[in-house]
Amino acid sequence: MPELPEVEVVRRGLAAALPGRRIATVSVLHPRPVRRHAAGPDDFAAALPGRTFAEARRRGKFLWLPFTDGDALMAHLGMSGQFRLDEPGHPLPPQCRVVFGFADAGPELRFADQRMFGGLWLSPGGAELPAEVARIARDLFDPDLDLEALVTDIRRRHSGIKRVLLNQQVVSGIGNIYADEALWRARLHYDTPADRLGRVRVLELLEAARAVMTDALDAGGTSFDALYVNVNGSSGYFGRSLSAYGREDLPCPRCGRPIVREPFMNRSSYRCPACQRPPRGA
DNA sequence: ACTATATCCTGTATGC
DNA sequence: TGCATACAGGATATAG
């Protein structure tokens, strides 16, 4: 599932291929992925031709592709969104939803999305910082992140630490996979109250999250199947480096105890029952 | 103001 | 073999 490292892999692929290229045609093959474009699918398709891409940007899991005119194409991969760059005439990827053709002879841009939790929309004036992104907290790779303010914010929250990590208004970019990996590295149980953690513990947790996402980025991202791929359609290799996520009944790499899977927020949490003990009173 | 939960969506895997 | 169900989990609207 695309979280910060996977979205960054995609951003780099788009940044290498799109700047300076002018859109000629847009085909919306399914309306749902452009549902956040309030004026509708036909308006989306009509509004983009003639615009020229600048360098793709990212905050957390939100991507945006600025145009040279000051607007931006917003993109979120959701659960299963993919950007692909393929030669015109090359067969469309499965569940292809939107196709962008260009004025030059270079590759087409295709947006595919099986589950359609992701989407594309136009953000007027959004080239620098789209309004949709301004509401999201900075991520752990943002040079302007105020780490001390983040630690203070986390330690004020009356909620379990994993819920806080997943809250994109607190810190962006972390999803279920990297939350579980960061908690494993920091030896914390997901239900530990955030407001019972000391400053140093929170710093250690954030450093663990940053480290695991750095490792994942170096490996080209995490994927278990064809649902996450880069713009060339190939998968990352970090899936085989995970310590807790998806490893139910497999030994904890630290102590050997079998990893357990538990229901959490209508999904699953994975943890080591020995290294990550439940908080007192839970 | 803040936190918790239901919802959307479909291909794949599993169980009966 | 075929059908039904569980599961994956992003953001967001709504409820508490």
Side-chain angles (χ1 to χ4, degrees), chain A residues 8-80:
Chain A
E8 176 59 17
V9 169
V10 172
R11 188 201 67 79
R12 291 177 182 182
L14 297 175
L18 292 183
R21 301 187 64 204
R22 182 161 55 90
I23 297 174
T25 59
V26 175
S27 299
V28 177
L29 307 179
H30 195 297
R32 180 154 180 85
V34 296
R35 66 194 177 282
R36 290 190 69 172
H37 187 81
D42 293 342
D43 185 88
F44 180 86
L48 298 179
R51 299 173 188 259
T52 300
F53 280 117
E55 185 170 345
R57 302 181 64 178
R58 180 191 58 72
R59 176 182 286 189
K61 302 170 214 174
F62 281 83
L63 267 176
W64 70 100
L65 297 94
F67 294 116
T68 53
D69 62 10
D71 296 339
L73 175 63
M74 278 299 313
H76 199 293
L77 302 180
M79 284 288 295
S80 52

Side-chain angles (χ1 to χ4, degrees), chain A residues 84-126:
Chain A
R84 305 286 280 270
L85 288 158
D86 295 311
E87 297 306 316
H90 191 274
L92 294 179
Q95 296 96 33
C96 186
R97 311 303 188 189
V98 182
V99 179
F100 299 82
F102 290 90
D104 56 62
E108 284 184 348
L109 178 66
R110 284 92 176 260
F111 183 76
D113 192 353
Q114 176 198 107
R115 295 173 199 164
M116 295 190 290
F117 280 32
L120 306 175
W121 66 99
L122 180 66
S123 176

Side-chain angles (χ1 to χ4, degrees), chain A residues 1-7 60-61 76 78-79 139-140 161-168 171-184 190 205 209-210 212-213 222 224 242 245 264-265 267-270:
Chain A
M1 320 307 139
E3 303 178 31
L4 188 154
E6 293 75 37
V7 178
K61 302 170 214 174
H76 199 293
M79 284 288 295
D139 60 59
L140 293 174
I161 187 60
K162 183 172 174 181
R163 288 174 181 275
V164 176
L165 280 183
L166 294 174
N167 184 342
Q168 306 297 302
V171 58
S172 67
I174 301 173
N176 202 38
I177 296 173
Y178 295 113
D180 278 2
E181 292 300 300
L183 290 166
W184 180 85
Y190 52 82
L205 174 62
R210 176 150 47 192
V212 70
M213 290 194 291
T222 297
F224 307 98
L242 296 172
Y245 182 87
F264 177 84
M265 289 175 77
R267 46 201 61 136
S268 294
S269 270
Y270 297 85

